[in-house]
Amino acid sequence: MDIRLRYRSDIVASPIELPSSKSIANRALVINALSEHPAEIGGMSVCDDTQAIVGALEQVSEHSATIVDIGAAGTAMRFLTAYFAALEGVTVTLTGSQRMCHRPIALLVDALRQSGADIAYLGEEGFPPLRIEGKRLRGGEIAIRGDISSQYISALMMVGATFSEGLCIRLLGDTLSRPYIEMTAEMMRQWGIDVRTSADRIEILSHGYRSPASYTVEADWSAASYIYEMVALAELQNVVVRGLVAPERSLQGDSELVDLYRHFGVTTQFCDGCAVISCSPSESDEVLSLDLKATPDLVPAMVVTACLKGRRFTFEGVGNLRIKECDRIAVLTTEMRKLGYLLTFDDESVSWDGSRCEAECNPLIMTYKDHRIAMAFAPAVTQHQGLAIEDAMVVNKSFPQYWEQMRLMGIIAEKI
């Protein structure tokens, strides 16, 4: 469904409700499935990505399917590849959408094979679909590059707690999205596993999960980036957002939003289980130079915010965005041009030096089936009335209530 947007500055009706963290929820599901006595999990995400894992686990536990199709859920593909490889007695064909079958998986497969996994490619070498024969894996020491996807490493860590010899992971090169690895480690500790991490090494020193009595998933800081973006662009005051855990207590690296958006005049106060977000006018001629390697999911919102605030920037550490749901760097460059901004990029950075072109009238933003592109561009309607979003319901992948929450902040969506 395509929609056209208009902005009404007289509507601000917080509190805003965020989805629960799909990053935490997805890990909790896999860890819980590996546990002898699963915990009660509260606040589970209902987004498409998480429901793909829920459905896959149910299918296999009920022996109702040997073909598991996870659609466009990239986290599900990585986590379930490892999970099924370590699940004794199960034979599964794991596949996904057309785009998913062109997203690389070889690094994870190779690492699992080092531990004895039986995985075969059914199509192009290095890509799904996969034929997986589950077995008890031995573990030991394996090596994997850290500069491609932290999800590969998290997948190995979670199943490593079931390996007969435990697991030691040597990380080769730089490690991207390090906070997600630390999130996995901390959650494993909460399920009774002794995990030790250093710059280039992760050791799983005990095996056999011991579940807590219950576990509650916190609200999603990645989804909050679009609320911060909206506050910055519309210079809103006292927008209340429920459920966000303060950065010093949150498992999520994307809680760095609080610091990142200070560059745009946005401040955050925490009280009574809520975040109160406000923006004051902020002007600076200084080029904003940031390394966003640890927080790649924040890049789309940061790019749109910086351009529309007139803030020149260079964002480093964004190379792995080329292999997300779409090539996010190329797409951001293409779609920002429709709004009149000329970005440049290379293998590891994206920049804007202030160069402009004529903006399109009533531009149609193509989403390329990428939820973060749709959500990042919608707040641009504050400066581009009539902006339209193609395939708007792609937001269901991570934030099913996105359009309802944006309406509370003045963005009115009408079906084209």
Side-chain angles (χ1 to χ4, degrees), residues 32-317:
N32 223 29
L34 291 166
S35 303
E36 185 175 353
H37 303 290
E40 291 291 329
I41 301 178
M44 183 57 67
S45 173
V46 297
C47 70
D48 288 353
D49 271 16
T50 298
Q51 292 308 304
I53 294 180
V54 170
L57 294 174
E58 288 178 349
Q59 281 181 284
V60 173
S61 67
E62 296 169 359
H63 305 287
S64 60
T66 57
I67 299 176
V68 175
D69 187 337
I70 50 78
T75 308
M77 175 59 71
R78 281 79 178 261
F79 288 3
L80 292 175
T81 294
Y83 174 77
F84 291 137
L87 192 62
E88 285 187 271
V90 169
T91 300
V92 172
T93 295
L94 184 60
T95 189
S97 65
Q98 182 178 4
R99 169 66 179 171
M100 184 59 61
C101 291
H102 287 88
R103 295 179 70 177
I105 196 81
L107 284 180
L108 176 58
V109 170
D110 290 346
L112 287 165
R113 285 173 171 173
Q114 290 180 55
S115 291
D118 188 350
I119 305 174
Y121 297 112
L122 298 181
E124 184 180 356
E125 189 78 8
F127 300 87
L130 306 173
R131 175 77 168 177
I132 304 172
E133 300 276 352
K135 61 174 68 173
R136 178 76 184 277
L137 301 180
R138 62 177 182 273
E141 182 169 309
I142 61 176
I144 185 170
R145 287 176 60 183
D147 60 349
I148 302 299
S149 173
S150 66
Q151 290 179 5
Y152 296 159
I153 300 161
S154 289
L156 292 168
M157 291 170 64
M158 288 187 288
V159 299
T162 70
F163 291 178
S164 60
E165 300 177 12
L167 181 63
C168 177
I169 303 172
R170 285 193 300 112
L171 302 176
L172 307 178
D174 291 337
T175 301
L176 298 179
S177 305
R178 185 77 195 204
Y180 288 96
I181 295 172
E182 298 299 338
M183 173 193 290
T184 304
E186 181 55 33
M187 291 183 67
M188 291 174 67
R189 294 183 189 110
Q190 292 172 4
W191 261 263
I193 302 300
D194 187 0
V195 184
R196 300 181 187 179
T197 63
S198 64
D200 60 357
R201 198 174 187 85
I202 300 168
E203 295 180 273
I204 316 297
L205 298 178
S206 61
H207 52 86
Y209 284 105
R210 300 183 302 280
S211 302
S214 63
Y215 188 86
T216 300
V217 180
E218 62 183 81
D220 188 13
W221 271 105
S222 303
S225 65
Y226 314 109
I227 310 303
Y228 274 76
E229 179 186 357
M230 186 67 189
V231 169
L233 295 181
E235 296 188 348
L236 301 177
Q237 302 295 314
N238 299 321
V239 174
V240 177
V241 183
R242 286 182 175 156
L244 285 174
V245 174
E248 62 270 18
R249 295 187 292 109
S250 176
L251 290 177
Q252 301 173 69
D254 282 357
S255 62
E256 191 177 343
L257 265 176
V258 172
D259 290 332
L260 291 174
Y261 267 77
R262 287 195 181 107
H263 294 291
F264 305 118
V266 178
T267 58
T268 310
Q269 294 181 324
F270 293 91
C271 60
D272 299 327
C274 295
V276 182
I277 310 171
S278 299
C279 181
S280 301
S282 176
E283 294 184 6
S284 175
D285 291 331
E286 183 181 356
V287 175
L288 183 58
S289 297
L290 298 171
D291 187 339
L292 299 180
K293 177 174 61 179
T295 55
D297 285 344
L298 305 185
V299 172
M302 289 285 291
V303 166
V304 178
T305 302
C307 286
L308 270 64
K309 295 286 282 186
R311 187 73 185 272
R312 295 173 298 150
F313 66 85
T314 295
F315 296 152
E316 301 281 353

